[in-house]
Amino acid sequence: MDIFRSHILICRGTGCTSSGSDQVADAFDKYIKEEGLEQEVKVVRTGCFGLCEVGPIVIVYPEGAFYSRVEEKDVQEIVKEHLVKGRVVKRLLYQESLDKDRIKSLNEVEFYKKQMRVALRNCGVIDPENIDEYIAMDGYKALTKVLTEMTREQVIEEVKKSGLRGRGGAGFPTGTKWEFVYNAPGDKKYVCCNADEGDPGAFMDRSVLEGDPHSVLEAMAIAGYAVGADQGYIYVRAEYPIAVRRLQIAIEQARNYGLLGENILGTGFNFDIDLKIGAGAFVCGEETALLNSMEGKRGTPRPRPPFPANKGLWGKPTLLNNVETYANICQIINKGGDWFASIGTERSKGTKIFALGGKINNTGLVEIPMGTTVREVIYDIGGGCPNGKAFKAVQTGGPSGGCIPAELIDTPIEYDTLVKIGSMMGSGGMIVMDEDNCMVDIAKFFLQFTCDESCGKCTPCREGTKRMLELLEKITEGKGEEGDIEKLQTLAMNIKDSALCALGQTAPNPILSTIRYFRDEYEAHIKDKRCPAGVCAALLNYIILEDKCKACGICAKNCPTNSISGKPKTPYVINQDTCIKCGVCMDKCPFGAIIKK
Amino acid sequence: MKKTIQELEEIRKKTLDKINIRKEREGTRIVVGMATCGIAAGARPVLKAFVEEVSKRGLQDVIISQTGCIGVCEYEPVVEVYKPGEEKVTYVRMKPEKVARIVAEHIVNGRVVNEYTIGSVNKR
């Protein structure tokens, strides 16, 4: 039988896989076979659904039942109850999707309500390892249209009309970039895809590659036709094994169908794609370093100009776009540039994917129209901070970006407004911080990252980030002096102006933006030797509140350094000289009588 | 095998039929009672017959699903048909042989097969 009465969609993105969706999928296969349902029920392993927080996620159609946190041991119950008897296992449903006795459709769930999936349209819907399912969702229709009905100039015009800007972070107009490569003189040109996603906490590109690899391949072929290239390369990091495997499968399938290779669809157009596996250096996400790495050289940036559009891979004109940028292209061709331009704001068109992480209830992947406010993302989609804590700031753009403080929460998310307030769109990482986060500590975290990842080619970045990090360490250890903030600012401006590549030029951003919005926290560290959020261990003291202490002695028993002493009926005291600030006493106190200050 | 544009279109149509189930749809719902009593009375072959018949005819907007005990164990297997904007129709004492007629007359042409419904059984 060709048609199945029920489809079970199981997320096999990296998030759900690491929480065990592989075993869950195998268990479904097993129990479905046991019940003799294999002709009626189909198990499909898909890409990311987005709500990674409650993974592994399983969706059962036709009911659209949204099961969350499914474990291997739950599978038999779902098969026996839901698939055999038709009784949805309410206990395992994503709670919010249950409305009295009715199952809400996915689009009604708060997390999805304000989202709009363009680049992620097929993620979690199709089996990424089955080209036929991609084709069914209008896959390779755009390529067919381009090759049979459109001139190269028309393709570029359509992309320009869409207003699409680079999703890798810088936001350069994509159509213009294509035009540069089209106009660049040269007999051989290349189309490359930057899949070297390296920001801490960002996984947008990975999810696209895992959930819908063909959308990137098709878009690259379209780009190849437009700019006049017959060879494409995807530079993807080895740390993304699932994405790499699915890309390999997808390329193989596309070649088999003649959608890559020579004489594509009988139109005489040749285009093939190969993978280049990167070792995972952050700097290789920078376009010129990426090209060096692809050529087999050390992954360090080249001075620009010349830009890759004129002198890129092996000195040939090269088009280099990011994964998410490509993921929008087929939709633009199919539905028209005007359609795409109708989404979003004046200068930022379309949608953007963000990876929500940090102190947020709904960790996961979201795609929103440009112009959605930070508040909508944090509260409506993200569900706010856990444990009722107050939202303090959100870091966008990773180590190259800046923070958006709570008072600017109504800022619309678009390229230019974010830059104006000292942050940036970046590739799409969004790290949420609550009242318990120390902003100096956050700046230190990102600086540590850029310092580690600095390739060492240019002095401002190699030495400058190190010096800034030392200053931050000094401040968080309580050794800060008057004038350190100004020193940081001067150093930051110098690095911004003189570093060779974007990694160095943007490395000071986390410091500058935290000083801009949270200067008082820096001052508290320096002048009062105090960490207001209670994070920096050197500036903390654990104190027992006399009026709350019941003199039970539990804290003293648990203290690893015997720094707490006391007698029955009188409050206990912590000896600050020997205390190592491990916090065990605070965790153990049954009366909440110990605080850190 | 290299595909032509024509063949690509065929794959598209064929596969879309198969995965259409994953979309949110407003259509006819055929619900088979699959509690212990229903299964014991032979609901499973009935369900299979519906799936086969619907896929044979390539019907797009039909969902086949199951439910638990409807409460009239006496009349199992019970099948309920929900058409948008119409009253629910309950077929009782279902057999796989009855399925083709229900799909042809009721699901496709909108004429309820009265003699199979719970109403006609009650009268007897």
Side-chain angles (χ1 to χ4, degrees):
Chain A
M1 203 186 309
D2 240 353
I3 294 193
F4 294 84
R5 71 170 160 88
S6 179
H7 284 204
I8 302 177
L9 272 54
I10 301 169
C11 174
R12 281 284 272 110
T14 293
C16 284
T17 299
S18 59
S19 44
S21 68
D22 203 9
Q23 289 84 332
V24 169
D26 290 345
F28 267 107
D29 283 337
K30 182 179 139 206
Y31 289 117
I32 284 170
K33 202 157 173 228
E34 235 166 57
E35 297 291 336
L37 298 175
E38 63 273 45
Q39 302 296 316
E40 296 171 35
V41 179
K42 186 180 169 120
V43 178
V44 187
R45 291 154 169 90
T46 71
C48 184
F49 291 104
L51 200 50
C52 309
E53 176 70 25
V54 296
I57 292 173
V58 174
I59 299 184
V60 179
Y61 284 103
E63 294 88 355
F66 184 174
Y67 291 114
S68 60
R69 294 208 174 99
V70 178
E71 292 177 45
E72 210 179 333
K73 63 177 168 55
D74 301 322
V75 173
Q76 193 175 16
E77 187 180 349
I78 296 179
V79 173
K80 278 201 183 297
E81 286 296 305
H82 189 160
L83 297 176
V84 175
K85 297 179 192 155
R87 285 199 291 242
V88 173
V89 185
K90 286 194 185 140
R91 162 180 90 78
L92 295 169
L93 283 182
Y94 177 55
Q95 281 312 308
E96 214 224 301
S97 74
L98 199 62
D99 183 13
K100 288 179 200 117
D101 267 346
R102 192 181 68 98
I103 302 169
K104 284 198 236 174
S105 84
L106 274 193
N107 300 332
E108 292 174 77
V109 172
E110 283 297 333
F111 180 75
Y112 292 105
K113 224 187 237 170
K114 293 207 165 163
Q115 294 198 46
M116 178 174 184
R117 295 187 133 204
V118 176
L120 291 174
R121 66 193 176 279
N122 289 332
C123 266
V125 179
I126 63 166
D127 175 353
E129 298 183 10
N130 183 341
I131 188 172
D132 287 357
E133 293 200 357
Y134 176 69
I135 291 171
M137 307 307 276
D138 289 341
Y140 292 102
K141 213 176 193 171
L143 181 62
T144 311
K145 181 175 173 186
V146 162
L147 294 181
T148 55
E149 296 170 25
M150 294 171 84
T151 64
R152 297 168 57 193
E153 296 76 14
Q154 282 172 328
V155 176
I156 292 172
E157 199 43 51
E158 205 62 44
V159 177
K160 279 173 88 172
K161 203 161 49 166
S162 75
L164 175 65
R165 294 170 67 173
R167 297 296 192 239
F172 191 82
T174 306
T176 311
K177 205 181 213 177
W178 288 28
E179 199 171 39
F180 285 161
V181 183
Y182 168 85
N183 285 328
D187 48 345
K188 182 85 181 169
K189 294 177 187 178
Y190 294 103
V191 166
C192 293
C193 173
N194 184 346
D196 192 67
E197 186 175 47
D199 290 8
F203 51 92
M204 301 73 56
D205 296 345
R206 185 188 76 203
S207 299
V208 171
L209 293 176
E210 285 175 355
D212 197 13
H214 285 286
S215 69
V216 176
L217 304 185
E218 185 182 359
M220 286 177 71
I222 292 169
Y225 171 76
V227 305
D230 63 356
Q231 178 65 47
Y233 290 106
I234 301 175
Y235 186 88
V236 57
R237 43 179 52 217
E239 288 148 318
Y240 284 180
I242 299 178
V244 170
R245 203 185 67 237
R246 298 219 171 121
L247 275 174
Q248 284 164 337
I249 293 170
I251 291 174
E252 211 41 57
Q253 289 175 339
R255 282 183 188 150
N256 274 339
Y257 275 15
L259 297 164
L260 286 178
E262 284 182 7
N263 192 15
I264 292 172
L265 294 169
T267 58
F269 172 63
N270 305 332
F271 190 79
D272 206 356
I273 296 175
D274 285 298
L275 295 186
K276 292 270 180 189
I277 312 289
F282 182 64
V283 71
C284 289
E286 195 280 331
E287 59 177 10
T288 58
L290 182 145
L291 293 172
N292 266 348
S293 174
M294 280 217 276
E295 292 175 12
K297 297 180 189 142
R298 194 187 170 100
T300 52
R302 309 170 183 171
R304 292 182 309 185
F307 286 90
N310 292 307
K311 229 172 162 231
L313 193 60
W314 292 297
K316 306 290 185 198
T318 301
L319 175 72
L320 184 57
N321 283 139
N322 149 279
V323 171
E324 192 187 334
T325 313
Y326 282 125
N328 284 298
I329 294 292
C330 301
Q331 295 280 85
I332 290 172
I333 299 294
N334 279 334
K335 297 189 176 177
D338 289 331
W339 165 80
F340 192 83
S342 71
I343 309 164
T345 63
E346 183 62 35
R347 292 179 42 80
S348 301
K349 302 295 188 192
T351 58
K352 176 80 193 84
I353 312 178
F354 287 97
L356 265 184
K359 304 281 184 66
I360 188 99
N361 276 316
N362 298 335
T363 306
L365 197 67
V366 305
E367 181 169 353
I368 46 162
M370 294 278 191
T372 306
T373 64
V374 177
R375 182 190 296 277
E376 287 172 296
V377 175
I378 303 292
Y379 286 102
D380 299 345
I381 299 173
C385 299
N387 306 321
K389 297 275 184 182
F391 166 74
K392 188 175 193 176
V394 58
Q395 175 86 9
T396 61
S400 303
C403 64
I404 303 169
E407 65 260 31
L408 294 177
I409 194 169
D410 288 310
T411 307
I413 297 171
E414 42 182 4
Y415 289 98
D416 309 290
T417 41
L418 290 189
V419 169
K420 215 179 290 165
I421 61 170
S423 182
M424 66 188 272
M425 181 72 80
S427 62
M430 259 198 194
I431 298 174
V432 182
M433 291 160 276
D434 69 5
E435 53 187 301
D436 290 343
N437 285 104
C438 164
M439 299 314 286
V440 186
D441 186 63
I442 292 289
K444 194 176 80 176
F445 167 80
F446 283 114
L447 244 285
Q448 243 154 7
F449 180 84
T450 30
C451 209
D452 278 349
E453 295 288 350
S454 173
C455 76
K457 182 168 179 170
C458 74
T459 319
C461 176
R462 183 185 65 236
E463 301 298 329
T465 53
K466 183 89 180 106
R467 295 289 97 82
M468 288 197 296
L469 179 60
E470 282 167 2
L471 276 169
L472 287 175
E473 277 167 350
K474 194 175 128 193
I475 293 171
T476 53
E477 281 164 12
K479 296 171 192 153
E481 297 163 74
E482 199 75 36
D484 278 351
I485 299 179
E486 290 69 26
K487 247 189 227 167
L488 272 173
Q489 284 174 316
T490 317
L491 202 47
M493 293 319 288
N494 276 326
I495 297 171
K496 256 178 123 62
D497 288 341
S498 56
L500 179 59
C501 79
L503 178 104
Q505 286 156 12
T506 57
N509 284 352
I511 297 184
L512 289 173
S513 81
T514 46
I515 293 180
R516 176 167 169 186
Y517 295 112
F518 298 96
R519 198 185 176 100
D520 53 327
E521 283 193 32
Y522 278 84
E523 281 167 355
H525 281 75
I526 295 170
K527 290 180 191 153
D528 314 337
K529 309 292 174 205
R530 191 173 63 83
C531 173
V535 172
C536 300
L539 300 177
L540 284 183
N541 284 322
Y542 285 85
I543 294 166
I544 298 175
L545 298 172
E546 282 182 25
D547 52 331
K548 280 195 176 173
C549 179
K550 303 266 189 275
C552 66
I554 290 178
C555 55
K557 267 187 216 121
N558 283 289
C559 177
T561 55
N562 294 322
S563 301
I564 307 179
S565 55
K567 289 193 297 265
K569 290 190 182 161
T570 48
Y572 276 54
V573 184
I574 300 175
N575 179 355
Q576 300 299 343
D577 294 335
T578 53
C579 172
I580 54 164
K581 292 156 188 168
C582 64
V584 168
C585 52
M586 193 166 114
D587 291 342
K588 296 283 179 187
C589 178
F591 311 108
I594 301 179
I595 56 160
K596 51 181 182 179
K597 240 171 111 177
Chain B
M1 266 298 285
K2 282 206 169 195
K3 304 285 177 213
T4 62
I5 294 172
Q6 187 70 39
E7 285 167 329
L8 215 57
E9 196 52 48
E10 277 160 24
I11 294 174
R12 182 167 296 133
K13 269 178 79 181
K14 216 176 76 199
T15 318
L16 192 60
D17 283 352
K18 289 188 210 165
I19 65 173
N20 222 349
I21 188 172
R22 294 177 211 162
K23 285 195 193 143
E24 310 277 346
R25 286 170 304 169
E26 290 286 312
T28 304
R29 280 197 322 133
I30 304 173
V31 181
V32 183
M34 295 279 275
T36 308
C37 50
I39 294 170
R44 175 150 297 287
V46 172
L47 175 80
K48 273 194 172 162
F50 269 112
V51 175
E52 267 167 46
E53 196 62 28
V54 166
S55 72
K56 204 157 71 193
R57 289 173 170 270
L59 300 179
Q60 286 297 316
D61 280 328
V62 177
I63 295 170
I64 302 167
S65 80
Q66 314 127 284
T67 186
C69 183
I70 298 172
V72 283
C73 309
E74 165 79 10
Y75 296 124
E76 292 284 358
V78 174
V79 173
E80 296 175 319
V81 175
Y82 298 82
K83 284 199 152 196
E86 290 176 28
E87 205 146 306
K88 171 181 83 177
V89 177
T90 307
Y91 292 107
V92 298
R93 288 186 186 144
M94 280 297 296
K95 290 192 177 79
E97 302 87 80
K98 295 181 177 175
V99 168
R101 197 169 148 206
I102 292 179
V103 172
E105 293 189 14
H106 186 180
I107 311 294
V108 178
N109 292 315
R111 288 195 313 269
V112 177
V113 186
N114 279 318
E115 52 183 293
Y116 295 163
T117 60
I118 194 163
S120 70
V121 174
N122 272 338
K123 275 176 212 150
R124 249 177 266 155

